Amino acid sequence: MFKNTDKEKLNIPQHIAIILDGNGRWAKKRHMPRTYGHQRGVENIKTIAIAASELGVKALSVYAFSTENWSRPKDEVDFLMKLPGEFEKKFKDDFKKYDIKVMFSGRKTHLSSQNLEILERITNNTKDRKGLVLNICFDYGSQTEITEAVKIIAEKVKSNEISPSDITAQMVEDNLYTSELPKLDLLIRPSGEVRLSNFLLWQAAYAELYFCKVYWPAFSKKDLEAAIIDFNKRDRRFGGLKKR
């Protein structure tokens, strides 16, 4: 959608987040099972991560599995729990080529020991890379994330390491899963839904929101570029006023 000369004129968001929505509906339109949509959705993570890397994005957070998704039908959940292994087998060489670092945000208490080993292995194998950080939010819920951060801070108050008056917004932020990532600039939700669904609620406080109707498996580099172009049209004041 835009050439290198255009890219140089644009403000490229440092941190983009995407809610990977519409996999099941995309598959249904093709008379395929929902699991087929999830498979294609995982494959599209690679496509968009590489596209974001080429565009100069520093971090990409993707909402792959939420804390609420456990309530879905068992066969669908069982399939989704196989995806970390598929992800590792299919994409490690591609991500190495682009120097992409992979991290995972979310609970670790509900995952199998096999999946925990896979996530740890991927994290360790990519931790020294200097390119785009791909943050895969797996068994992630923003309310859980914030609650856990509050518990960590509460323990410090309890042990007299800090007093309640020492608690700041920055302290909460420092205890979130995303503490090492740049501040969130742009949050994208494909599929036509217009809500955040418990995704990066703290981080999205002053992020720009972009909604589009294309389902995630069909979301392309052109769609990502369209979101970035729209981002460049926003007047980001962060609650203040710009000097005239």
Side-chain angles (χ1 to χ4, degrees), residues 13-16 59 170 173 178 180-186 202-203 207 236 238:
Q14 291 253 306
H15 183 183
I16 295 176
Q170 187 60 53
E173 197 161 308
T178 56
E180 297 180 5
L181 298 180
K183 288 190 179 296
L184 183 63
D185 292 314
L186 173 63
W202 180 284
Q203 297 87 338
R236 307 191 76 200
F238 301 96

Side-chain angles (χ1 to χ4, degrees), residues 45-228:
I45 294 175
K46 179 189 76 170
T47 302
I48 299 304
I50 291 172
S53 176
E54 291 174 335
L55 292 169
V57 177
K58 301 300 182 186
L60 176 67
S61 293
V62 295
Y63 202 10
F65 187 86
S66 79
T67 51
E68 290 74 37
N69 286 157
W70 292 102
S71 64
R72 292 192 174 188
K74 184 178 183 301
D75 59 340
E76 185 174 346
V77 172
D78 289 344
F79 179 85
L80 289 168
M81 287 300 111
K82 295 177 183 176
L83 294 180
E86 290 293 311
F87 183 92
E88 182 182 34
K89 284 189 291 185
K90 286 187 174 183
F91 306 144
K92 60 182 179 181
D93 292 333
D94 296 294
F95 288 158
K96 183 177 181 180
K97 177 182 176 183
Y98 288 90
D99 206 27
I100 291 174
K101 175 180 177 178
V102 183
M103 63 175 279
F104 294 89
S105 293
R107 298 184 302 191
K108 302 297 188 289
T109 53
H110 288 56
L111 301 179
S112 68
S113 58
Q114 182 181 12
N115 270 338
L116 288 174
E117 288 174 10
I118 292 170
L119 301 193
E120 185 176 357
R121 189 163 57 241
I122 294 172
T123 301
N124 287 335
N125 289 342
T126 67
K127 62 184 175 64
D128 295 324
R129 295 181 186 169
K130 305 301 182 186
L132 172 114
V133 178
L134 174 60
N135 175 35
I136 300 176
C137 299
F138 196 75
D139 199 15
Y140 173 89
S142 191
Q143 292 177 337
T144 297
E145 176 186 28
I146 295 168
T147 301
E148 291 302 315
V150 171
K151 286 179 180 178
I152 292 169
I153 294 169
E155 286 294 334
K156 290 182 179 180
V157 172
K158 184 179 178 181
S159 63
N160 293 318
E161 291 180 55
I162 61 172
S163 66
S165 61
D166 294 326
I167 299 172
T168 62
Q170 187 60 53
M171 188 179 293
V172 176
E173 197 161 308
D174 289 342
N175 285 284
L176 298 177
Y177 302 140
T178 56
S179 60
E180 297 180 5
L181 298 180
K183 288 190 179 296
L184 183 63
D185 292 314
L186 173 63
L187 191 152
I188 301 169
R189 180 162 194 162
S191 86
E193 302 291 353
V194 186
R195 57 177 175 269
L196 297 184
S197 297
N198 199 19
F199 184 49
L200 299 179
L201 301 180
W202 180 284
Q203 297 87 338
Y206 278 104
E208 298 301 321
L209 308 181
Y210 179 85
F211 301 96
C212 60
K213 292 186 178 180
V214 61
Y215 295 134
W216 168 246
F219 189 90
S220 66
K221 183 178 180 179
K222 287 185 177 181
D223 294 308
L224 179 63
E225 291 173 347
I228 292 173

